[in-house]
Amino acid sequence: MPTPEEIETQGLLVVDRFQACAAAPDDLDAARLCDAGLTRLDELLCEAGVV
């Protein structure tokens, strides 16, 4: 089970990556990183029983 700190860290990473996507909407690498981060956050939340 993930720790609250791990979930928070991943959430902050997702926010940073979304900001990078907003700054460069045509950057496919940034979009892929954002998608991967969001997928990982979803996995952590599911493992924690939040979603």
Side-chain angles (χ1 to χ4, degrees), residues 6-7 10-11 15 21 26-27 29 35 39-41 43 46-47 49:
E6 186 178 10
I7 294 170
Q10 186 64 33
V15 169
C21 284
D26 294 332
D27 186 344
D29 289 332
D35 186 53
T39 298
R40 180 63 186 141
L41 180 59
E43 291 169 354
C46 285
E47 289 174 23

Side-chain angles (χ1 to χ4, degrees), residues 13-50:
L13 179 65
V14 168
V15 169
D16 287 342
R17 289 183 176 171
F18 266 105
Q19 290 173 339
C21 284
D26 294 332
D27 186 344
L28 289 178
D29 289 332
R32 287 184 185 110
L33 285 173
C34 186
D35 186 53
L38 192 56
T39 298
R40 180 63 186 141
L41 180 59
D42 185 53
E43 291 169 354
L44 291 172
L45 291 172
C46 285
E47 289 174 23
V50 177

